[in-house]
Amino acid sequence: MSFLTPELLTRFDVPGPRYTSYPTADRFVEAFSQQDLRQALDLRNQGLGQKNRPLSIYVHIPFCESLCYYCACNKIITKHHEKAEPYLRYLAKEVELYTSSIGIGQSVSQLHLGGGTPTFLSNDELRELMSVLKRSFNFVAGGEYSVEVDPRTVNDERLALLLELGFNRLSFGVQDFDPEVQKAVHRIQPAVQVFALVASARKMGFESVNVDLIYGLPKQTPESFDRTLKQVNELRPDRIALYAYAHLPERFKPQRRILAAELPVASSKIAMLSRSMDALMNAGYVYVGMDHFALPSDALAVAKRQGRLHRNFQGYSTQPDCDLIGLGVSAIGRMGGTYSQNAKTMEEYVDMLDNGQLPIVKGLALSRDDLIRRAWIMAIMCQGHVQYDAFNEAWLIDAKKYFASELSQLESLQTQGLVELSDGGLQVTPMGWFFVRGVAMVFDKYLQADRNRTRFSKII
């Protein structure tokens, strides 16, 4: 059975944002100030925001021992592990600045350690970081507490420590099991090592194990990626994130080490996605949406079935929409009707904290139109439908009039079988769900006003 043919993927292969937020991060402005964020924090503390809802926390650990050539993340390549110690001190300063505004002990239901390589930190440093966070916040039972893991940096002892510290979800960066592809991207990690770690994580009782894969890397072919998918299906992780590699060497310096001649041609890349869909879904995985797959028993798949999906800067989530505190260099936060992003360089991050400032350098205060469109786009991205009456009642608008122009644009997608429009609302079809962000893009005011889409990766 073929879920998506190469022909269908080619027809709807259009560049676009991933909508982990709306407006998207490229719309943030430097005019957003410390005062704007502190006002949003004060509103939460006064109970005028989402004070009764648990927080989400993202911590960015930028350090990596070696460079992966495909990487577009904000990272610092170093083998000097002593650099982590002062960074942790500044993270503690940043936490203190937040708690001075919103108080100590606010509930947290979601924590994600990303990077870089969070497991670059030593065992004692991981303990120190979690001690700072647990002294400052109340981590509630049943939350989602995850950490990105480079398989080359952990063993059974470290996995046991992560579990002891409260992490219940692991995300292993695999990308591809093929040795030649791993060599081409400078990330050698034998499959046997990943299999052993996943087996240990399951034995220890982690609730969910995710594996990240990337297609479109140098030296990949549809046939070689088939072999990786076969191994992944044998590994049987609870969740799989399948990302398309976007080769942008002019923007991301590490990618200049990749030989363009070794990259798969467009038709091969499309074939990889089509065959990946077949392999994973035939193996019993649920297509959650965008890049995400999950076993039917996983909480993410359950949330999709029950219409409880949410979306934030980490992608699809089971946790309700909430305020997000971003800690560390380049981290993005959301507080009430605002977004903010931290300084991207260590020097600027440290300097601002030394001067008693939250280290934000840009952000956005959302207008009422932004808020309305955010709710609409997230309903499309997470539930796949919007009911006019419920939306009108929530936002005190006439949605059919408010989005009259956009809804008329959807008629072509309706003709192609991706959406269904009725007097009661908008419904994304099962086939349309594979191209859901293409539907959401129609309602993006900024994107419609600025047709320059070169900054975005393609849907596939």
Side-chain angles (χ1 to χ4, degrees), residues 178 220-229 268 271-272 275:
D178 186 278
Q220 279 181 339
T221 66
E223 293 73 25
S224 74
F225 204 59
D226 285 346
R227 293 192 291 271
T228 285
L229 291 167
S268 293
M272 287 181 211
R275 288 156 72 155

Side-chain angles (χ1 to χ4, degrees), residues 64-82:
C64 294
E65 279 198 2
S66 64
L67 179 66
C68 300
Y69 296 163
Y70 56 81
C71 185
C73 299
N74 187 315
K75 71 275 183 186
I76 296 171
I77 307 301
T78 180
K79 293 187 181 297
H80 297 284
H81 283 252
E82 65 273 13

Side-chain angles (χ1 to χ4, degrees), residues 17-28 364 444 446 456:
R18 309 185 64 77
Y19 293 117
T20 52
S21 71
Y22 180 85
T24 49
D26 62 304
R27 306 296 174 180
F28 295 178
L364 191 68
D444 185 333
Y446 299 92
F456 299 120

Side-chain angles (χ1 to χ4, degrees), residues 256-297:
R256 297 173 192 172
R257 303 192 184 200
I258 289 177
L259 298 178
E262 294 183 345
L263 292 170
V265 297
S267 59
S268 293
K269 192 174 179 182
I270 290 173
M272 287 181 211
L273 177 57
S274 178
R275 288 156 72 155
S276 297
M277 291 283 189
D278 287 351
L280 296 176
M281 296 175 73
N282 282 329
Y285 282 92
V286 174
Y287 178 67
V288 176
M290 291 290 290
D291 320 290
H292 293 59
F293 299 80
L295 292 175
S297 58

Side-chain angles (χ1 to χ4, degrees), residues 61 106 243 254-255:
I61 307 296
Q106 292 222 10
Y243 299 117
Q255 295 184 0

Side-chain angles (χ1 to χ4, degrees), residues 156-207:
D156 287 1
E157 178 189 355
R158 301 213 79 198
L159 291 181
L161 173 67
L162 293 173
L163 187 67
E164 173 193 325
L165 292 176
F167 292 100
N168 52 24
R169 301 180 184 276
L170 301 175
S171 182
F172 287 98
V174 170
Q175 324 317 345
D176 195 310
F177 280 127
D178 186 278
E180 288 302 310
V181 176
Q182 291 184 358
K183 183 178 179 181
V185 299
H186 200 236
R187 189 183 176 102
I188 305 296
Q189 49 188 35
V192 63
Q193 181 183 32
V194 177
F195 272 73
L197 290 170
V198 171
S200 294
R202 287 198 173 111
K203 186 175 181 180
M204 292 176 189
F206 282 93
E207 292 179 19

Side-chain angles (χ1 to χ4, degrees), residues 387-403:
Q387 299 301 316
Y388 295 142
D389 287 347
F391 198 87
N392 292 345
E393 184 176 349
W395 290 97
L396 302 177
I397 64 169
D398 183 333
K400 292 178 73 173
K401 289 183 178 179
Y402 197 92
F403 293 116

Side-chain angles (χ1 to χ4, degrees), residues 3 41 45 60 144 192 194-195 200 244 272 282 299 338 354 374 401 446 448 452-453:
F3 293 95
L41 291 168
N45 198 40
H60 189 77
E144 190 170 276
V192 63
V194 177
F195 272 73
S200 294
M272 287 181 211
N282 282 329
T338 70
D354 278 341
R374 178 171 74 180
K401 289 183 178 179
Y446 299 92
Q448 296 303 322
N452 177 16
R453 301 178 182 180

